[in-house]
Amino acid sequence: MTFNLRFSALAASVAMFLPAFAQAQVLQINSSLPDGSFAHAFLTEFKDRVEAELPNMDVQIFMGNTLGSEEDVLQGLGFGTHHASLSASAVVQVNPRTAVFDLPYLFENRDKVQEFAASPAFDMLGEGFAGRGIVLSALWDNGFRVITNSVRPIVTPDDMRGLKIRTPTSRQRVAMFNTLGANATPLSFGEVYSGLDQGVIDGQENPAQIADSARFYEVQKYMSLSNHVYLPTFMLFGEPWLNAQTEEVRETVLRIAAETAPWTFNWGEETDARILEELADKIAINEVDFEAFQAAALPLYDDPLFVDAIGADMIAVTREVLGLD
């Protein structure tokens, strides 16, 4: 074989592997949330950290479900058509154990969330993705839900009696508020403001930043920092994408995802404080007796509605880790 022929054969062989190599240096991450959201801030921080340690890695962020619906992207992680996703409530469709975050009053603050993330409960949560081709790398912040209403401040469970509180259509959320004495009223989010304004409902439950951006303070008098539900965001990678990387790349992106988690919780804490400060002149804000609410909600941890959805083993480990006897 002449030199030219040998060179041509070598070039052809290299060319065959170039697309795979190029693909291996790209990490595309999907989020359902829009540009400028907290998820965008988190992913930008992650991108900067990864590219600082892996100069050949191009981390591409796609907001607003640009790569497809959240459900389609989660399936795509296992098929190898998608690389990674920062997801929230949709993960319950592929891993029922993540419904553990529907249990009310699990976490009093973000420190407790991080205790969970550093415990065997997190490992069991990750095992729930087995067979789906998905790897859970970390829990990032999302925020606590609080209650607003136009009748009275809510400090103890007795203050919930008779209040018509809008909830999502989640059966677990409806059961929670009914158990605490409220009249849970499922409504689509688009109907909440008018429902509050017209008195169809007395209150609603959402993160404080939603109450701010949706201007609920215009039609509500009280905001009670109930912290009744905390839903994290799940930083997920597809096994096919991870398996196509070198060991160094795999270990680095998974490590950085975990290391970014505390940064997201600090960001969330600071953002909540800023929003509450901005709302202080617009709505009366009060703390609640968290332990009283936690005790009132504890029977739900044995309710078949929750146990059948989550799994008794997942609930048991979570209760043990958080000291909820």
Side-chain angles (χ1 to χ4, degrees), residues 51-90:
E51 292 180 350
E53 289 200 36
L54 299 171
N56 292 328
M57 179 65 67
D58 177 18
V59 179
Q60 301 173 358
I61 300 170
F62 295 86
M63 305 303 297
N65 279 339
T66 309
L67 297 181
S69 71
E70 197 167 9
E71 293 77 11
D72 288 344
V73 170
L74 289 173
Q75 288 187 345
L77 296 181
F79 295 149
T81 56
H82 295 78
H83 302 167
S85 179
L86 182 60
S87 299
S89 56

Side-chain angles (χ1 to χ4, degrees), residues 300 302-309:
L300 290 171
D302 297 315
D303 190 313
L305 180 64
F306 288 87
V307 175
D308 292 347

Side-chain angles (χ1 to χ4, degrees), residues 36-245:
S37 64
F38 70 87
H40 194 196
F42 296 171
L43 289 173
T44 300
E45 177 71 15
F46 175 74
K47 169 184 170 71
D48 291 345
R49 293 186 182 203
V50 169
E51 292 180 350
E53 289 200 36
L54 299 171
N56 292 328
M57 179 65 67
D58 177 18
V59 179
Q60 301 173 358
I61 300 170
F62 295 86
M63 305 303 297
N65 279 339
T66 309
L67 297 181
S69 71
E70 197 167 9
E71 293 77 11
D72 288 344
V73 170
L74 289 173
Q75 288 187 345
L77 296 181
F79 295 149
T81 56
H82 295 78
H83 302 167
S85 179
L86 182 60
S87 299
S89 56
V91 298
V92 74
Q93 298 178 34
V94 295
N95 181 359
R97 290 180 180 176
T98 61
V100 72
F101 293 100
D102 283 328
L103 286 171
Y105 300 98
L106 271 183
F107 308 106
E108 187 171 2
N109 50 48
R110 285 177 170 86
D111 288 342
K112 288 293 185 180
V113 180
Q114 294 184 79
E115 283 183 26
F116 175 97
S119 77
F122 175 84
D123 297 333
M124 181 175 284
L125 193 71
E127 290 167 3
F129 290 102
R132 297 286 186 170
I134 298 174
V135 174
L136 172 63
S137 64
L139 300 179
W140 289 359
D141 194 43
N142 190 346
F144 287 96
R145 300 177 82 90
V146 302
I147 303 170
T148 68
N149 83 98
S150 57
V151 179
R152 56 181 171 265
I154 296 170
V155 179
T156 69
D158 285 343
D159 297 322
M160 296 280 286
R161 300 292 173 189
L163 293 181
K164 292 176 289 185
I165 303 294
R166 178 267 174 182
T167 69
T169 55
S170 161
R171 292 192 302 154
Q172 285 80 9
R173 197 70 51 79
V174 169
M176 185 196 88
F177 276 92
N178 285 340
T179 296
L180 295 174
N183 294 326
T185 308
L187 281 176
S188 67
F189 185 78
E191 299 177 85
V192 175
Y193 187 97
S194 62
L196 295 170
D197 189 31
Q198 297 167 15
V200 175
I201 49 177
D202 298 315
Q204 61 82 46
E205 51 94 34
N206 263 299
Q209 59 181 309
I210 299 297
D212 182 36
S213 62
R215 305 177 72 88
F216 290 153
Y217 54 80
E218 295 178 341
V219 288
Q220 298 276 263
K221 295 180 180 178
Y222 309 103
M223 173 181 286
S224 302
L225 305 181
S226 53
N227 289 4
H228 53 278
V229 166
Y230 179 92
L231 177 67
T233 47
F234 302 83
M235 188 59 194
L236 305 170
F237 291 89
E239 279 187 3
W241 184 85
L242 286 172
N243 291 339
Q245 312 309 308

